[in-house]
Amino acid sequence: MKSNKVCILGGTGFVGRHLAATLSANEVKCVIPSRHPQRHRNLQVAGQAELIQANPFDQQELEPLLEGCDAAVNLAGILNESGDKRSFKRIHIELTDTLVNACKAAGVRRLLHMSALNANEANGPSIYLKTKGEAENRAHTLGQPQIKITSFRPSVIFGEDDSFINRFASLLQMAPGPFPLACPNARFAPVYVGDVVQAMYNALDDPSTWGKHYDLCGPGTYTLKELVEYTAQTLGIHKWIVGLSPGLSALQARMLGLVPGKPFTYDNYLSMQVDSVCSEDGLGQLGIEATRLESVVPYFLGQRSERLRYYQLITRQR
């Protein structure tokens, strides 16, 4: 049976915005709980979702939003902690428990859960990966037998409005002199956000995906240094990328973890001690041909460069 209505936790985030667009284009109504729906009116204006003010951590507020939904999607997650209210345990584990219990109470029998590649409750090298692993395990165990759950474990996700390629692009454009890069040899298989969203859509109404965990990777594997060098080259920036040793990488992580916004933390450093590459082709299993990074990144970085040149021109004229 085709799903007609889906509730998305984390629907205002990077992947959530793309998923809402894909579902809406396929005539699936999206309901997105948000504490501050006024900040995301663009989703409503585009006709992609119904944003409803609610606290997703409160099961009593969540249950009415889930009633009448054919499925729920959990995209909630953070890369860095920021106080008790944005802790890994609260966002990854407690929110997952609340959603599963709310689904049971509201009669929702389908749940798509976003995890992370290398998520491992017992052996994850970082708190992020441990809590992601625990949340994934709890979703599958707590949901049984009523809820049919499918998990997705992507490598780093890229796209026009990502916080990965675009973050390095910003740093490269701002930083003077050589660019010191922590963990230069960490390996990734970046996966396109459009492919991640298509994987979730393909799995939504497919019973063969129930109870499964899909690793999602792009077709190419790169070191972090190669990705940053490619970003600089695509932007037309000539900059020396200096790979730091493990000791200096850890030191940089501890220092940047004290900076407002926490651009890089020691927990991030620990996550990068294990390569973010797939041993199985989850996209292929879901009938998707992975998109190459080189076919997408030049397009949105080119737009970024044009906006920067326009801003610089206007600034000079003033």
Side-chain angles (χ1 to χ4, degrees):
M1 186 177 74
K2 183 181 184 300
S3 295
N4 295 308
K5 186 178 180 182
V6 174
C7 181
I8 308 175
L9 265 65
T12 60
F14 170 44
V15 176
R17 295 191 300 272
H18 287 265
L19 180 61
T22 295
L23 292 175
S24 296
N26 287 277
E27 300 182 344
V28 180
K29 182 179 179 181
C30 301
V31 177
I32 299 178
S34 173
R35 289 186 173 184
H36 307 286
Q38 69 278 6
R39 298 178 183 176
H40 309 284
R41 290 175 181 169
N42 59 311
L43 285 173
Q44 292 176 306
V45 170
Q48 295 173 3
E50 179 184 5
L51 270 75
I52 300 177
Q53 186 168 11
N55 177 7
F57 292 92
D58 187 329
Q59 186 175 330
Q60 292 184 336
E61 291 190 31
L62 198 54
E63 285 178 21
L65 303 186
L66 287 163
E67 291 177 359
C69 288
D70 301 297
V73 181
N74 184 15
L75 298 174
I78 55 173
L79 290 175
N80 297 315
E81 293 186 313
S82 179
D84 292 340
K85 291 186 178 181
R86 289 185 59 80
S87 70
F88 288 131
K89 181 179 179 181
R90 177 174 167 79
I91 302 294
H92 295 163
I93 300 171
E94 294 178 8
L95 186 56
T96 297
D97 286 357
T98 299
L99 176 58
V100 170
N101 290 329
C103 283
K104 288 181 178 179
V108 175
R109 298 294 178 254
R110 183 71 171 119
L111 173 61
L112 304 182
H113 178 81
M114 180 67 83
S115 186
L117 200 60
N118 298 320
N120 190 306
E121 180 179 0
N123 299 313
S126 64
I127 301 175
Y128 169 79
L129 290 173
K130 286 180 185 293
T131 54
K132 272 292 191 179
E134 183 174 351
E136 183 179 349
N137 291 341
R138 292 178 71 85
H140 281 262
T141 56
L142 291 176
Q144 295 179 357
Q146 301 99 314
I147 305 174
K148 309 307 180 184
I149 300 175
T150 304
S151 289
F152 303 87
R153 301 158 55 90
S155 182
V156 63
I157 304 174
F158 70 91
E160 183 175 355
D161 48 342
D162 68 32
S163 58
F164 180 65
I165 296 294
N166 280 296
R167 171 170 290 186
F168 281 112
S170 295
L171 293 172
L172 287 165
Q173 288 172 329
M174 292 187 302
F179 188 86
L181 180 66
C183 306
N185 298 318
R187 295 169 69 239
F188 299 89
V191 58
Y192 179 47
V193 63
D195 293 343
V196 173
V197 164
Q198 191 63 47
M200 302 186 87
Y201 179 74
N202 288 3
L204 180 61
D205 298 320
D206 184 355
S208 71
T209 67
W210 293 355
K212 293 185 179 179
H213 311 250
Y214 290 94
D215 290 355
L216 306 180
C217 285
T221 299
Y222 315 81
T223 66
L224 183 59
K225 187 176 181 182
E226 288 172 340
L227 288 169
V228 175
E229 288 175 338
Y230 175 71
T231 301
Q233 177 186 355
T234 304
L235 288 169
I237 295 175
H238 302 284
K239 191 174 291 289
W240 181 25
I241 312 299
V242 182
L244 300 179
S245 67
L248 289 176
S249 295
L251 178 61
Q252 185 191 70
R254 292 189 184 278
M255 293 176 64
L256 292 179
L258 302 175
V259 173
K262 297 186 177 183
F264 186 56
T265 68
Y266 188 66
D267 201 71
N268 299 150
Y269 165 80
L270 293 176
S271 293
M272 292 168 69
Q273 299 312 296
V274 55
D275 291 335
S276 187
V277 297
C278 291
S279 57
E280 297 183 359
D281 181 12
L283 289 177
Q285 293 168 15
L286 291 165
I288 299 166
E289 182 178 353
T291 302
R292 293 197 65 81
L293 180 139
E294 292 85 357
S295 67
V296 176
V297 170
Y299 169 73
F300 68 77
L301 286 186
Q303 289 187 321
R304 181 189 184 92
S305 296
E306 286 298 322
R307 289 194 298 267
L308 179 60
R309 281 193 288 269
Y310 177 76
Y311 173 77
Q312 291 171 337
L313 177 62
I314 295 299
T315 303
R316 290 193 201 101
Q317 290 177 346
R318 290 176 182 174

